[in-house]
Amino acid sequence: MNVKGFDEFELDLELAFKRDLPPFIDGLEAAPLTFINVSSIPSKKNGVYLLLQEDTVLYVGKTDSRGGFQNRLLRHSEHVKHRRNFDPTTMYFKAVAIPVFKNADLETILIDHYGAPWNNSGFGGNDPGKERDTQRPAVYDLDHPIDVDVELDFLEEGTVSVQELLKLLSARLPYTFRYEKKRYQEELDFNIEISSTRSSLRDMLTLILQGLPSGMWQATILYGRIILYRENREYPFYQEIIRS
């Protein structure tokens, strides 16, 4: 349209983000990925974030949910704990609130810029469910499988029911722990004695399985999660199986 004294201006958001966002992020000081630091971010703020190890960007993410950065980064801070070949204290983050960005694919822009090897590796994914226990593990889980020999800091000495202990483990472990909740509950109705607060998940699984019918139950330590069921089988991809 050629109207005298009139024209239209269209802002190229993608070009502006490609030009201005990486330098802005590079100028931001990274913070250790800890509960205190993440909780200090203003609530309900959304935008893009980076996870780094030293100066290397490992993962690029975005959030536009009600929980904002806090919800997403706290979940990531758990997902890097109790993993082999990785020290969670080396993890840092940068988070940039961007009020309007839905029309620009900022994730792709930053992944292309930084590389971000953990993107598309399965890092940060939700529990895929029982039907996926036989499928090949995600790359992240293969590179950094869960470590069941880490001391658990939420155990207390004394007598505890197996049912309550299983609920506690499921709620507090930094990876998915699934167990039989519908059938055979009478077999799980007994107590065990926790003699030390320096116990690992392996210690707890061993105590539980010692009290279950011989050869009927097993804890399968997969690469990214653990399952405890009344079964006797092998899975295509697993680290270890502990049987009753």
Short mmCIF file of all heavy atoms in Angstrom, two decimals, residues 80-106:
data_model
loop_
_atom_site.label_atom_id
_atom_site.label_comp_id
_atom_site.label_asym_id
_atom_site.label_seq_id
_atom_site.Cartn_x
_atom_site.Cartn_y
_atom_site.Cartn_z
N VAL A 80 20.40 -33.49 38.94
CA VAL A 80 21.83 -33.68 38.80
C VAL A 80 22.46 -34.32 40.04
O VAL A 80 23.67 -34.58 40.05
CB VAL A 80 22.55 -32.35 38.48
CG1 VAL A 80 22.09 -31.79 37.16
CG2 VAL A 80 22.34 -31.33 39.60
N LYS A 81 21.66 -34.61 41.04
CA LYS A 81 22.19 -35.23 42.26
C LYS A 81 22.22 -36.75 42.14
O LYS A 81 21.45 -37.34 41.38
CB LYS A 81 21.32 -34.84 43.47
CG LYS A 81 21.37 -33.36 43.82
CD LYS A 81 20.46 -33.07 45.00
CE LYS A 81 20.47 -31.61 45.38
NZ LYS A 81 19.52 -31.32 46.49
N HIS A 82 23.09 -37.37 42.92
CA HIS A 82 23.21 -38.83 43.00
C HIS A 82 23.43 -39.44 41.62
O HIS A 82 22.79 -40.42 41.23
CB HIS A 82 21.96 -39.44 43.64
CG HIS A 82 21.74 -39.03 45.05
ND1 HIS A 82 20.94 -39.73 45.93
CD2 HIS A 82 22.19 -37.97 45.77
CE1 HIS A 82 20.91 -39.12 47.10
NE2 HIS A 82 21.67 -38.05 47.01
N ARG A 83 24.34 -38.84 40.85
CA ARG A 83 24.66 -39.32 39.51
C ARG A 83 26.15 -39.65 39.44
O ARG A 83 26.99 -38.95 40.01
CB ARG A 83 24.34 -38.25 38.47
CG ARG A 83 22.86 -37.93 38.37
CD ARG A 83 22.15 -38.93 37.51
NE ARG A 83 20.71 -38.73 37.47
CZ ARG A 83 19.90 -39.30 36.57
NH1 ARG A 83 20.41 -40.08 35.65
NH2 ARG A 83 18.60 -39.10 36.61
N ARG A 84 26.46 -40.72 38.73
CA ARG A 84 27.85 -41.08 38.53
C ARG A 84 28.47 -40.15 37.48
O ARG A 84 27.79 -39.65 36.61
CB ARG A 84 27.97 -42.53 38.08
CG ARG A 84 27.41 -43.54 39.10
CD ARG A 84 27.71 -44.96 38.69
NE ARG A 84 27.06 -45.91 39.59
CZ ARG A 84 27.56 -46.30 40.75
NH1 ARG A 84 28.74 -45.82 41.14
NH2 ARG A 84 26.91 -47.16 41.52
N ASN A 85 29.76 -39.96 37.60
CA ASN A 85 30.52 -39.14 36.63
C ASN A 85 30.07 -37.69 36.63
O ASN A 85 30.23 -37.00 35.61
CB ASN A 85 30.38 -39.71 35.20
CG ASN A 85 30.58 -41.20 35.13
OD1 ASN A 85 31.47 -41.74 35.76
ND2 ASN A 85 29.73 -41.88 34.36
N PHE A 86 29.54 -37.24 37.76
CA PHE A 86 29.11 -35.83 37.78
C PHE A 86 29.07 -35.32 39.21
O PHE A 86 28.59 -36.00 40.12
CB PHE A 86 27.74 -35.67 37.14
CG PHE A 86 27.41 -34.24 36.81
CD1 PHE A 86 27.93 -33.66 35.67
CD2 PHE A 86 26.64 -33.48 37.66
CE1 PHE A 86 27.66 -32.33 35.37
CE2 PHE A 86 26.37 -32.15 37.37
CZ PHE A 86 26.88 -31.58 36.22
N ASP A 87 29.56 -34.09 39.39
CA ASP A 87 29.54 -33.43 40.70
C ASP A 87 28.52 -32.29 40.65
O ASP A 87 28.74 -31.29 39.95
CB ASP A 87 30.93 -32.88 41.02
CG ASP A 87 31.00 -32.17 42.36
OD1 ASP A 87 29.95 -32.09 43.05
OD2 ASP A 87 32.09 -31.70 42.73
N PRO A 88 27.40 -32.39 41.36
CA PRO A 88 26.36 -31.36 41.28
C PRO A 88 26.80 -29.99 41.78
O PRO A 88 26.19 -28.98 41.42
CB PRO A 88 25.23 -31.92 42.13
CG PRO A 88 25.87 -32.91 43.04
CD PRO A 88 27.02 -33.49 42.27
N THR A 89 27.86 -29.94 42.59
CA THR A 89 28.32 -28.65 43.10
C THR A 89 29.01 -27.82 42.01
O THR A 89 29.31 -26.64 42.22
CB THR A 89 29.28 -28.83 44.29
OG1 THR A 89 30.47 -29.51 43.85
CG2 THR A 89 28.62 -29.63 45.39
N THR A 90 29.27 -28.43 40.85
CA THR A 90 29.90 -27.69 39.75
C THR A 90 28.86 -27.04 38.84
O THR A 90 29.24 -26.41 37.85
CB THR A 90 30.79 -28.62 38.91
OG1 THR A 90 29.98 -29.64 38.29
CG2 THR A 90 31.84 -29.29 39.78
N MET A 91 27.58 -27.20 39.16
CA MET A 91 26.52 -26.68 38.30
C MET A 91 26.18 -25.23 38.65
O MET A 91 26.03 -24.88 39.83
CB MET A 91 25.26 -27.53 38.42
CG MET A 91 25.35 -28.86 37.68
SD MET A 91 25.46 -28.66 35.90
CE MET A 91 23.80 -28.15 35.52
N TYR A 92 26.02 -24.41 37.61
CA TYR A 92 25.64 -23.00 37.76
C TYR A 92 24.45 -22.72 36.83
O TYR A 92 24.13 -23.52 35.95
CB TYR A 92 26.81 -22.09 37.40
CG TYR A 92 27.91 -22.06 38.45
CD1 TYR A 92 28.76 -23.15 38.61
CD2 TYR A 92 28.09 -20.96 39.27
CE1 TYR A 92 29.77 -23.13 39.57
CE2 TYR A 92 29.09 -20.93 40.22
CZ TYR A 92 29.92 -22.02 40.37
OH TYR A 92 30.91 -21.99 41.33
N PHE A 93 23.83 -21.58 37.04
CA PHE A 93 22.72 -21.20 36.17
C PHE A 93 22.74 -19.70 35.89
O PHE A 93 23.31 -18.91 36.64
CB PHE A 93 21.37 -21.58 36.78
CG PHE A 93 20.93 -20.71 37.93
CD1 PHE A 93 20.16 -19.56 37.71
CD2 PHE A 93 21.29 -21.02 39.23
CE1 PHE A 93 19.77 -18.75 38.77
CE2 PHE A 93 20.90 -20.21 40.30
CZ PHE A 93 20.13 -19.07 40.06
N LYS A 94 22.12 -19.35 34.77
CA LYS A 94 21.80 -17.96 34.43
C LYS A 94 20.34 -17.95 34.00
O LYS A 94 19.93 -18.80 33.22
CB LYS A 94 22.68 -17.44 33.29
CG LYS A 94 24.16 -17.31 33.62
CD LYS A 94 24.92 -16.72 32.43
CE LYS A 94 26.40 -16.56 32.75
NZ LYS A 94 27.14 -15.91 31.62
N ALA A 95 19.58 -17.00 34.50
CA ALA A 95 18.16 -16.90 34.15
C ALA A 95 17.84 -15.46 33.77
O ALA A 95 18.22 -14.52 34.48
CB ALA A 95 17.28 -17.34 35.32
N VAL A 96 17.16 -15.30 32.65
CA VAL A 96 16.82 -13.96 32.15
C VAL A 96 15.32 -13.88 31.95
O VAL A 96 14.75 -14.62 31.14
CB VAL A 96 17.54 -13.67 30.82
CG1 VAL A 96 17.14 -12.29 30.29
CG2 VAL A 96 19.05 -13.76 30.98
N ALA A 97 14.67 -13.02 32.71
CA ALA A 97 13.23 -12.82 32.55
C ALA A 97 12.96 -12.00 31.30
O ALA A 97 13.59 -10.95 31.09
CB ALA A 97 12.66 -12.12 33.78
N ILE A 98 12.04 -12.49 30.48
CA ILE A 98 11.67 -11.80 29.25
C ILE A 98 10.15 -11.75 29.22
O ILE A 98 9.49 -12.79 29.03
CB ILE A 98 12.22 -12.52 28.01
CG1 ILE A 98 13.75 -12.66 28.11
CG2 ILE A 98 11.84 -11.78 26.74
CD1 ILE A 98 14.37 -13.44 26.99
N PRO A 99 9.56 -10.57 29.40
CA PRO A 99 8.09 -10.47 29.52
C PRO A 99 7.34 -11.00 28.30
O PRO A 99 6.35 -11.68 28.43
CB PRO A 99 7.85 -8.97 29.71
CG PRO A 99 9.14 -8.44 30.25
CD PRO A 99 10.21 -9.27 29.63
N VAL A 100 7.83 -10.70 27.09
CA VAL A 100 7.11 -11.12 25.89
C VAL A 100 8.09 -11.86 24.98
O VAL A 100 9.03 -11.26 24.46
CB VAL A 100 6.52 -9.91 25.13
CG1 VAL A 100 5.80 -10.38 23.88
CG2 VAL A 100 5.57 -9.12 26.03
N PHE A 101 7.87 -13.17 24.81
CA PHE A 101 8.77 -13.90 23.93
C PHE A 101 8.08 -15.08 23.24
O PHE A 101 8.73 -15.89 22.58
CB PHE A 101 9.98 -14.42 24.71
CG PHE A 101 9.65 -15.47 25.74
CD1 PHE A 101 9.74 -16.82 25.44
CD2 PHE A 101 9.29 -15.11 27.02
CE1 PHE A 101 9.46 -17.78 26.40
CE2 PHE A 101 9.01 -16.06 27.98
CZ PHE A 101 9.09 -17.41 27.67
N LYS A 102 6.78 -15.19 23.34
CA LYS A 102 6.08 -16.35 22.81
C LYS A 102 6.16 -16.46 21.30
O LYS A 102 6.01 -17.54 20.74
CB LYS A 102 4.63 -16.35 23.28
CG LYS A 102 4.47 -16.60 24.78
CD LYS A 102 3.02 -16.71 25.18
CE LYS A 102 2.90 -17.02 26.68
NZ LYS A 102 1.48 -17.15 27.10
N ASN A 103 6.40 -15.34 20.63
CA ASN A 103 6.45 -15.38 19.17
C ASN A 103 7.86 -15.64 18.64
O ASN A 103 8.07 -15.65 17.43
CB ASN A 103 5.94 -14.06 18.59
CG ASN A 103 4.45 -13.87 18.84
OD1 ASN A 103 3.72 -14.84 18.92
ND2 ASN A 103 4.02 -12.63 18.97
N ALA A 104 8.81 -15.85 19.53
CA ALA A 104 10.19 -16.12 19.10
C ALA A 104 10.66 -17.42 19.74
O ALA A 104 10.42 -17.67 20.92
CB ALA A 104 11.11 -14.97 19.51
N ASP A 105 11.34 -18.24 18.96
CA ASP A 105 11.84 -19.52 19.47
C ASP A 105 13.20 -19.28 20.11
O ASP A 105 14.25 -19.57 19.52
CB ASP A 105 11.94 -20.53 18.32
CG ASP A 105 12.22 -21.94 18.82
OD1 ASP A 105 12.45 -22.10 20.03
OD2 ASP A 105 12.22 -22.87 18.00
N LEU A 106 13.17 -18.75 21.33
CA LEU A 106 14.42 -18.39 22.01
C LEU A 106 15.27 -19.61 22.34
O LEU A 106 16.50 -19.53 22.33
CB LEU A 106 14.11 -17.61 23.29
CG LEU A 106 13.33 -16.30 23.12
CD1 LEU A 106 13.25 -15.56 24.42
CD2 LEU A 106 13.98 -15.44 22.05
#
